[in-house]
Amino acid sequence: MGIVVGDLGVAVVIEDDDDVRNLLDAVLQQAGFEVHSAATGRDGVDVARHRQANVITLDVGLPDIDGFEVLRRIRQFSDAYVVMLTGRNEELDTISALQGGADDYIVKPFRPRELRARISAMMRRPRQGVVGEVVAEPSEQMAAAVNARRGKVLQHNGLALDTETRTVALRGTPLGLTRSEFDLLQELLKGTGAVRTRADLVRVVRGEYYGEDTYISEADERAVEVHIGNLRRKLHEDPQDPRWLVTVRGVGYRLAPTKAE
Ligand code: CA
């Protein structure tokens, strides 16, 4: 069966370099997206808004406002998947953009295959809202209750993670987590105290794209540390006495022991 353009929804390319923009446009069209593009940050925000983007590729270095500011503006109205495109010298800044609501980033120059793989890994996973406050709908709460009965909910020290609805609640209050934060928390809860190395967790964040033998950079591991830091903040972890996320120095992380309430 052939691919119908627009099957996967709308992709918006925000990139000032003509060659890179044309390449991204072609790759995303071939993948099955309806593609719109913009060469400046401000135009990009407008196009993302008017075309109701599902996926956005966002260059960090743009002529007017930079990619981080574009991301901040887009996140006020859109929960599109956002992949940041960054130069090698901007990589560390881009990792901090994961805190601002980017889903992933790719260092230029990139292979079209790598971009396609990253985007399809992102889109295979349902997503929680990242716009504003996340509040569970009554139907979600009902689904959560049903799943609890079916053993689809991982619980630990007052935290409940529903693997089916991909929602997390702390003593009944819903937490708004990004996809990566959810996946990492799920992995550690499933491990019931087994140590997960930072490399293991990079593979969790990246989805199936990274196999056992794939090179994992320090920046990849640093990105995992940033996600874990975000999780700790959202969970209000006490660093002296964590209830969920324990650092295993020089190795990775594991789940804290069960505590008496
Ligand atoms: Ca640029």
Side-chain angles (χ1 to χ4, degrees):
M1 244 171 54
I3 292 167
V4 178
V5 170
D7 254 8
L8 290 179
V10 174
V12 169
V13 173
I14 307 175
E15 169 66 64
D16 61 324
D17 183 303
D18 293 343
D19 291 338
V20 178
R21 192 174 60 248
N22 292 336
L23 173 64
L24 287 166
D25 195 304
V27 167
L28 290 167
Q29 276 200 38
Q30 279 164 19
F33 288 96
E34 174 190 326
V35 185
H36 301 277
S37 57
T40 68
R42 285 197 182 85
D43 283 353
V45 174
D46 286 345
V47 173
R49 190 198 305 272
H50 292 126
R51 301 293 182 176
Q52 302 189 340
N54 303 108
V55 169
I56 297 168
T57 71
L58 177 53
D59 185 28
V60 170
L62 291 165
D64 52 346
I65 50 176
D66 70 18
F68 306 119
E69 175 59 19
V70 172
L71 176 65
R72 195 186 66 74
R73 294 186 188 185
I74 284 174
R75 278 289 173 253
Q76 290 170 4
F77 60 83
S78 170
D79 65 353
Y81 294 94
V82 176
V83 184
M84 307 287 289
L85 267 78
T86 180
R88 180 63 65 185
N89 58 345
E90 299 159 327
E91 192 172 359
L92 284 176
D93 291 335
T94 307
I95 291 167
S96 58
L98 297 173
Q99 286 171 312
D103 290 278
D104 203 350
Y105 74 95
I106 296 184
V107 177
K108 291 196 267 189
F110 60 90
R111 296 186 306 272
R113 221 183 52 167
E114 182 184 9
L115 176 72
R116 277 199 302 269
R118 292 282 186 90
I119 287 177
S120 62
M122 282 190 323
M123 293 192 70
R124 269 197 295 276
R125 301 171 186 199
R127 148 186 204 85
Q128 303 185 54
V130 292
V131 181
E133 201 69 11
V134 177
V135 180
E137 299 289 325
S139 58
E140 273 180 37
Q141 286 169 2
M142 276 167 59
V146 170
N147 288 334
R149 285 198 296 276
R150 284 161 46 200
K152 297 286 172 75
V153 178
L154 305 171
Q155 306 211 35
H156 192 70
N157 290 341
L159 188 70
L161 178 147
D162 190 321
T163 58
E164 196 113 306
T165 59
R166 292 184 60 90
T167 52
V168 178
L170 179 53
R171 294 183 196 87
T173 305
L175 293 183
L177 302 185
T178 65
R179 176 189 60 79
S180 301
E181 290 161 7
F182 181 94
D183 290 344
L184 289 173
L185 186 60
Q186 174 171 274
E187 181 68 16
L188 289 165
L189 285 168
K190 277 194 324 206
T192 59
V195 178
R196 290 282 181 272
T197 65
R198 282 190 293 265
D200 289 341
L201 295 177
V202 168
R203 293 187 186 99
V204 169
V205 171
R206 295 290 198 224
E208 294 113 314
Y209 177 66
Y210 277 52
E212 282 296 316
D213 53 352
T214 309
Y215 173 71
I216 291 172
S217 71
E218 267 181 50
D220 288 330
E221 296 192 350
R222 176 77 191 110
V224 163
E225 288 169 14
V226 171
H227 291 309
I228 295 280
N230 291 345
L231 266 175
R232 284 184 163 139
R233 209 178 56 246
K234 290 180 180 181
L235 293 166
H236 302 290
E237 277 279 44
D238 176 357
Q240 305 309 319
D241 185 23
R243 298 175 66 82
W244 301 283
L245 307 175
V246 176
T247 301
V248 182
R249 203 172 289 278
V251 182
Y253 302 90
R254 65 177 172 77
L255 191 65
T258 303
K259 290 189 193 305
E261 283 296 324

